[in-house]
Amino acid sequence: MDFDDTREEAAFRAEARSWLEANASPLEPGETNPGLGESDDPDTIRAAQAWQAKKADAGWACITWPEAYGGRGGSPIQSVIWGQEEGKFRVPPNVFGIGLGMAGPTLMAHGSDVQQQRWLPKMLRGEEIWCQLFSEPAAGSDLAGLRTRAERDGDDWVVNGQKIWTSGAHYCKWGILVARTDPNVPKHAGLSYFVVDMESTGVEARQIRQISGGANFNEVFFTDARIPDANRISEVGNGWAVAITTLMNERASIGSGGIGGGGGVKDLIALAREVRDERGPLLENAGIRERIADYYVRTKGLQFTSYRTLTALSRGQTPGPEGSIGKLVAAKMRQDMASLALELQGLAGGTLDPSLAVQDAAWQEAYLWAPGMRIAGGTDEILRNIIAERVLRLPPEPRVDKELAFRDVPTGSQG
Amino acid sequence: MNFDFDEDQRLLQKTARDFLEQRAPLSRVREIFESDALLDADLWSGVAEMGWTGAAIPESHGGAGFGYLELALLAEETGRALAPIPFGSSVYLVTEALRLAGSDEQQRRWLPELAAGRRIGAFAAAEGPGGHVAAEPGVEWRDGALHGAKEPVLDGAAANLALVLARDPSGGRVLVLADLQANGAKNEPLESLDPSRPLARLVFEGTRAERLQGDGAALLARLEDRAAILFAFEQLGGAQRCLEEAIAFARSRYAFGRPIASFQAVKHQLADLYTAVELARSNCYYGAWALHAQSDELPAAACLARISATEAFEACSQESLHLHGGVGFTWEYDCHLFLRRSKLLSLALGSTGRWKDRLVALLDEAA
Ligand SMILES: Cc1cc2nc3c(=O)[nH]c(=O)nc-3n(C[C@H](O)[C@H](O)[C@H](O)COP(=O)(O)OP(=O)(O)OC[C@H]3O[C@@H](n4cnc5c(N)ncnc54)[C@H](O)[C@@H]3O)c2cc1C
C-alpha cells in the first residue's frame, strides 16, 4: 500500500503538467477557480468551450473515454491525476459535467453505435452542452413517479408535460429525458429514455431563481414537442434501467468533489487564526478547535474512501452504491462548516459586502448553496435509503406504489 | 409552581399574532426583503401604537408598562412573523441599556421617544470580523465625541439613536449614546445576509455622545444577558413557525404513493425538531421568569435560552428547507427567509460557542 505514483503514473503526470504549463497559467497561492454555482453567463460558457476544445485537440478532454470518440483511452487513475494537475491552473468552470459525467457514460452503456457516433465526439469537445430532464414538480426523490408523456406517432414521439430543476437548460443543446410511454403498467415499467434537442419546437425553458439569487436551473415545458424515434435510448419501457445508470454516475461525480462553494478546512483555520473575540484569538478556543478537527477527520475520511474506490477501479472492479457516502457526508458538512465560518466572523459573518466579508464572502455564499447540495442528485434521506437497502441489504420499506398500474398510484392533492 | 404565562398575557400574544398576520404576512416581509427599504415603516408605527416598543417601559416614562413577560411574548410573535422592523435593536438593546444605566435625565429624555417609536435604536458594537462586540474597540470616545467606524451595525441605517461601544482615553470600554438625528454619523449600507434586517457601517467623525452610568464592561455583560433572553424568544418564534411549515408541507407532499410525512425518516426528523423547540421553549420561559423576577440566576438563564433557541432555529430553518426538497431551494418559496434570519440572529448577539463558554464559566464560579 502506498500513495506514490508508479513510474508510468509519474510520467503521465509530468506530461500533463508540461502541457498545462504551456497552455494555462498556474493559480496564485490562495486563488481558487470559480465554482459552477452561478457561472452561466455567455462569456464564461464560451471560455469553457474554448478550453474544452483545446484540451480535446491535445487528447486531454476525457482521459478515460475511448479514442474513437476523441478520448485518450486512459485509466481512471490517469483521469484523477489529470484532475489534480488541471486543478492547479486557472481554468474556466466545467459546465460539461452533466454531459461528460452522466449522459456520456449512459450513452456508452445503452446507446447504439450510431447514437454514440452522433453525440459523443461533440459532447467531448464541448461543442454541445447537455442537461438532465429527469425531475418533475411531482417527481423528484420518486423519480419513477414522473408523468411527462411520450406518445408514439409514426417515426416520432410526441412529448407533453413539465420538467423542473433542470440545471443549465437555458444554454444547453441536448437534454436526456425520461418520459412515461405507458401509464397502464407499474410505474417503473412504463418509462422510456430519450435524447431531446432543446432547440426544437414545443420545448420551452424558463429560468428559476434559487435562494442564492442566481438562476442556474429551469422549468422546461413540453407542448407537443416531437422527438424522432432514432433519439430513443434502449428499448421502449426500459427507461428506468437507463436512468439508474445516469443516476449512479451523477452521485459518483457530485460526491467526488462537486460540492462547490466555500473553502476547505485550511481556509477555516486561516480564518480562525485571523479573528478574535472577547475570549481571545479564536483558533485557541477549544470548542472551535474541536469542530475544526471533526471536519478535517471527515474530509480526510472521504478523500481516502475515494482512493479506495479508485484502487478498485484501477483493478477493473466497478465501484458500487457506496459512492453515495461522498455526497451524503460532504453536503451536510459543507453546511456546518459554512455555519461555523460565519460564527467565527461575528456579526460581520452576516454581510456579503466585499468591503467587509472575509475570503470574498465565499462562506456566506456556501451557506446559501449547501442546502441545494443536500437536495440535488438525491436528498440525504434517499442516499441513506440507498446505503441501507443496496449496500447493507436491509429489507426494503413496504411499498404501496410498486405493483399498481401507474395511473392508480395515490398522489394526494397533487393529482 | 406555576411555570407558564397567564390568561391576560396569552390574550396579548394572540392579539399580537393576529395583528402581525394581518399587517406583516410573509408577502409583506418579502417586499421589504427585496427592496432597499430600511424597515417596514408602517408596521413600525403600528407596533408603536400598540405599545410594543414601550412594553417594558414604565408608564411614567411614556411606556405601556406591561413588563418583561409580556415583552417576551411580543418578541416571540415578531420572530414568528419575521417582522421586518428593528424591534430587537431598539427595544431589547437600546431601551434596556437606558433602563439599566441611564441617568434620570437620560431616561426622561429618551424613554418616551423610544416608547413612541419616534426614536429607533441600534447597538453599534462590532468592528469588522471577529467578536460581535469588539474585544478592543478602535472607536474612541474623547471629550464627549466619537471617532472611528463601527461595522456592521444591525439596523444601523434605520436608527437615529445609537448605543456605541467605544474606548475612553484611559483604554477602558464605555457604552455611550449618540443622537444620530442631531449630529449625524455617516452611514453606509452593507449587503446583509437577511435584507429584511439591513446592516450598515456607521462612521463617526466627532459625533457627540453621552456616557451611560457605571462600568462599561459590566454593563455590557448585563445588557447582553437581558437582550439574549428577548432575542431567544424571537428565535423561538421563528423556529416554531419553520416547524409548522415543515409539518404542513410534509403532510401534503406525496412521494412513492404516500405523504412524505409517513416516512419514518421524516417523522423522526420532525420529532427531533419538535423536541429541540420544546426544550428551547422551556429554557426561554425560565429566562423570562429571571428577567421578570430580576433574579440572580439571570446570567445562566440567558445562556440557556440563547443557546437552545439559537440551535433550535438553526436546525428548524435548515431542515424545513431541506424537507421542502427542490422548491425549498427557490427564491420564490419562503424557506430561505427563515434560513437567513436565523443565521443573522445567531450572529447578532454572539455565537453559541461564546455563550457556552460563558455558561460553563458561570457554573464554575457557582460551584
Ligand atoms: C441545485 C439543484 C440542481 C438540480 N439539478 C437538476 C437537474 O439538472 N436535473 C434534474 O432532473 N433534477 C435536478 N434537481 C432536482 C433534484 O434531483 C430533486 O430536487 C431531488 O431529487 C428531490 O426531489 P424533490 O425536489 O421533488 O423533493 P421531494 O422528493 O418531494 O422530497 C421532499 C423531502 O422528502 C424527503 N423524502 C422523499 N422521499 C423520502 C423517503 N422515501 N424517505 C424519507 N424521506 C423522503 C426528501 O428527502 C426531501 O427532504 C436539482 C435540484 C437542486 C436543488
Side-chain angles (χ1 to χ4, degrees):
Chain A
M1 190 185 281
D2 65 59
F3 292 112
D4 305 336
D5 283 346
T6 61
R7 200 166 334 127
E8 295 77 32
E9 286 162 6
F12 177 84
R13 192 183 292 280
E15 194 188 344
R17 216 177 153 77
S18 75
W19 187 83
L20 283 161
E21 275 162 3
N23 291 282
S25 8
L27 290 171
E28 302 292 332
E31 182 186 355
T32 51
N33 277 311
L36 187 49
E38 326 224 321
S39 58
D40 60 350
D41 72 283
D43 289 342
T44 309
I45 289 167
R46 266 193 298 277
Q49 287 179 304
W51 176 240
Q52 187 69 14
K54 198 169 190 178
K55 288 196 289 182
D57 288 337
W60 298 107
C62 285
I63 305 294
T64 57
W65 283 26
E67 288 171 45
Y69 310 129
R72 194 178 191 88
S75 70
I77 298 275
Q78 288 181 336
S79 172
V80 170
I81 292 174
W82 168 263
Q84 290 169 344
E85 294 305 319
E86 189 186 21
K88 297 172 189 163
F89 289 80
R90 192 176 302 137
V91 294
N94 176 10
V95 298
F96 311 106
I98 290 176
L100 302 180
M102 294 153 63
T106 306
L107 289 174
M108 282 185 230
H110 299 278
S112 67
D113 285 350
V114 177
Q115 290 171 333
Q116 293 172 353
Q117 280 305 337
R118 163 62 191 89
W119 285 308
L120 295 175
K122 287 194 169 161
M123 181 191 287
L124 176 138
R125 292 188 62 81
E127 267 171 49
E128 295 174 341
I129 311 179
W130 289 61
C131 62
Q132 178 195 20
L133 298 152
F134 281 26
S135 306
E136 296 185 4
S141 300
D142 180 15
L143 179 61
L146 61 86
R147 293 147 194 228
T148 293
R149 285 283 278 129
E151 286 164 299
R152 188 71 191 245
D153 180 29
D155 283 342
D156 288 345
W157 293 84
V158 179
V159 180
N160 282 287
Q162 185 197 343
K163 295 289 173 177
I164 197 165
W165 321 127
T166 320
S167 304
H170 52 302
Y171 57 75
C172 285
K173 168 67 181 165
W174 296 103
I176 40 178
L177 170 79
V178 191
R180 187 162 302 281
T181 41
D182 186 354
N184 298 312
V185 293
K187 61 202 284 188
H188 296 90
L191 304 174
S192 304
Y193 196 110
F194 302 92
V195 169
V196 57
D197 183 344
M198 296 302 288
E199 288 162 13
S200 50
T201 326
V203 181
E204 190 203 343
R206 286 185 212 153
Q207 281 170 264
I208 307 176
R209 199 164 172 205
Q210 63 242 7
I211 66 169
S212 47
N216 199 55
F217 54 25
N218 298 262
E219 304 178 273
V220 179
F221 296 90
F222 291 89
T223 320
D224 293 330
R226 300 188 85 85
I227 303 179
D229 188 51
N231 292 11
R232 171 170 49 78
I233 310 299
S234 188
E235 287 85 56
V236 175
N238 197 38
W240 184 247
V242 185
I244 290 291
T245 305
T246 309
L247 293 176
M248 296 292 262
N249 279 288
E250 171 170 25
R251 282 160 199 159
S253 59
I254 303 185
S256 64
I259 311 280
V265 169
K266 266 194 198 150
D267 303 283
L268 214 47
I269 290 181
L271 170 59
R273 194 185 290 128
E274 232 173 79
V275 289
R276 53 188 300 137
D277 70 6
E278 333 145 84
R279 296 170 292 171
L282 289 181
L283 193 54
E284 286 170 20
N285 181 275
I288 289 165
R289 294 172 81 87
E290 199 173 315
R291 283 177 74 180
I292 293 177
D294 284 342
Y295 301 138
Y296 193 63
V297 171
R298 263 178 276 166
T299 304
K300 296 309 273 188
L302 286 182
Q303 186 187 338
F304 296 135
T305 302
S306 77
Y307 288 177
R308 284 167 58 206
T309 308
L310 211 63
T311 303
L313 268 175
S314 69
R315 290 177 178 160
Q317 301 155 353
T318 32
E322 59 274 4
S324 298
I325 294 174
K327 190 181 95 81
L328 176 62
V329 175
K332 176 61 181 153
M333 181 168 73
R334 169 109 339 243
Q335 185 167 42
D336 294 343
M337 282 172 71
S339 180
L340 174 62
L342 300 197
E343 284 166 26
L344 290 173
Q345 298 169 48
L347 187 51
T351 176
L352 294 95
D353 197 281
S355 69
L356 201 54
V358 302
Q359 295 176 5
D360 300 324
W363 291 110
Q364 283 78 3
E365 279 158 22
Y367 195 67
L368 296 175
W369 189 248
M373 292 299 96
R374 291 181 59 198
I375 297 166
T379 65
D380 294 356
E381 288 69 29
I382 293 306
L383 297 182
R384 289 195 184 96
N385 281 344
I386 290 172
I387 291 172
E389 295 183 6
R390 305 225 197 108
V391 184
L392 304 179
R393 309 232 165 254
L394 302 178
E397 289 254 323
R399 291 280 294 265
V400 296
D401 59 328
K402 248 184 147 163
E403 312 296 332
L404 293 178
F406 176 70
R407 57 182 151 68
D408 298 328
V409 173
T411 59
S413 54
Q414 301 149 13
Chain B
M1 166 144 15
N2 174 13
F3 191 54
D4 199 354
F5 295 89
D6 69 24
E7 257 177 55
D8 287 347
Q9 289 156 350
R10 290 297 184 195
L11 194 64
L12 176 74
Q13 181 176 24
K14 165 116 190 13
T15 315
R17 183 170 303 185
D18 293 345
F19 175 79
L20 287 168
E21 276 171 5
Q22 216 195 353
R23 299 281 293 271
L26 288 175
S27 54
R28 177 69 187 144
V29 176
R30 187 175 278 275
E31 273 173 39
I32 302 294
F33 183 94
E34 290 179 352
S35 74
D36 289 333
L38 300 174
L39 77 168
D40 183 339
D42 286 347
L43 182 65
W44 182 251
S45 33
V47 155
E49 272 162 36
M50 309 270 290
W52 300 4
T53 37
I57 299 177
E59 282 162 304
S60 54
H61 282 127
F66 294 144
Y68 287 108
L69 295 176
E70 289 77 4
L71 179 55
L73 293 177
L74 295 173
E76 183 179 349
E77 293 310 314
T78 60
R80 179 185 174 84
L82 293 185
I85 47 174
F87 196 66
S89 299
S90 199
V91 178
Y92 325 149
L93 283 160
V94 177
T95 302
E96 282 308 302
L98 272 160
R99 296 206 57 205
L100 281 175
S103 66
D104 286 349
E105 204 276 314
Q106 285 168 329
Q107 296 201 6
R108 258 201 316 277
R109 180 147 45 104
W110 297 120
L111 289 179
E113 293 291 297
L114 285 161
R118 284 190 293 275
R119 287 291 180 159
I120 296 176
F123 180 46
E127 291 181 17
H132 68 289
V133 297
E136 287 158 11
V139 167
E140 214 191 340
W141 180 71
R142 73 179 123 82
D143 304 326
L146 285 166
H147 305 269
K150 296 304 268 189
E151 59 181 3
V153 180
L154 182 57
D155 304 311
N160 46 24
L161 186 63
L163 174 66
V164 183
L165 177 69
R167 166 169 59 89
D168 67 15
S170 71
R173 296 205 282 180
V174 287
L175 279 169
V176 299
L177 263 187
D179 179 353
L180 302 180
Q181 197 161 288
N183 40 30
K186 235 194 312 177
N187 82 60
E188 297 155 7
L190 293 169
E191 185 183 349
S192 175
L193 188 63
D194 174 4
S196 66
R197 293 300 298 277
L199 297 170
R201 171 188 295 123
L202 294 185
V203 184
F204 302 103
E205 291 161 346
T207 308
R208 307 299 309 165
E210 49 190 75
R211 188 184 174 146
L212 296 179
Q213 296 173 330
D215 171 60
L219 173 58
L220 184 64
R222 288 179 69 206
L223 176 64
E224 288 190 311
D225 285 347
R226 300 165 78 84
I229 293 167
L230 296 164
F231 270 114
F233 272 90
E234 240 183 83
Q235 294 168 304
L236 176 68
Q240 174 74 37
R241 176 81 172 270
C242 287
L243 176 61
E244 289 169 17
E245 304 275 338
I247 291 170
F249 184 83
R251 282 183 196 281
S252 66
R253 175 75 178 169
Y254 271 60
F256 305 98
R258 50 196 260 203
I260 60 169
S262 70
F263 292 114
Q264 245 179 39
V266 171
K267 280 193 276 207
H268 287 183
Q269 178 68 268
L270 291 169
D272 283 347
L273 295 178
Y274 167 79
T275 304
V277 169
E278 288 308 307
L279 294 187
R281 179 177 302 287
S282 303
N283 281 323
C284 283
Y285 285 14
Y286 175 54
W289 166 82
L291 255 183
H292 168 73
Q294 306 295 338
S295 162
D296 293 346
E297 295 169 37
L298 192 145
C303 297
L304 298 176
R306 171 72 181 174
I307 294 163
S308 54
T310 302
E311 290 183 349
F313 197 9
E314 177 143 326
C316 288
S317 64
Q318 289 181 353
E319 300 311 321
S320 172
L321 186 157
H322 182 69
L323 244 156
H324 281 72
V327 291
F329 193 56
T330 61
W331 186 267
E332 183 191 341
Y333 269 63
D334 295 323
C335 300
H336 71 117
L337 304 187
F338 289 90
L339 186 79
R340 290 164 181 270
R341 177 65 63 85
S342 158
K343 197 69 225 169
L344 190 67
L345 290 182
S346 83
L347 300 172
L349 215 59
S351 64
T352 47
R354 179 263 181 204
W355 287 93
K356 286 175 183 175
D357 282 339
R358 174 160 171 77
L359 177 60
V360 176
L362 289 167
L363 296 176
D364 186 29
E365 263 169 43

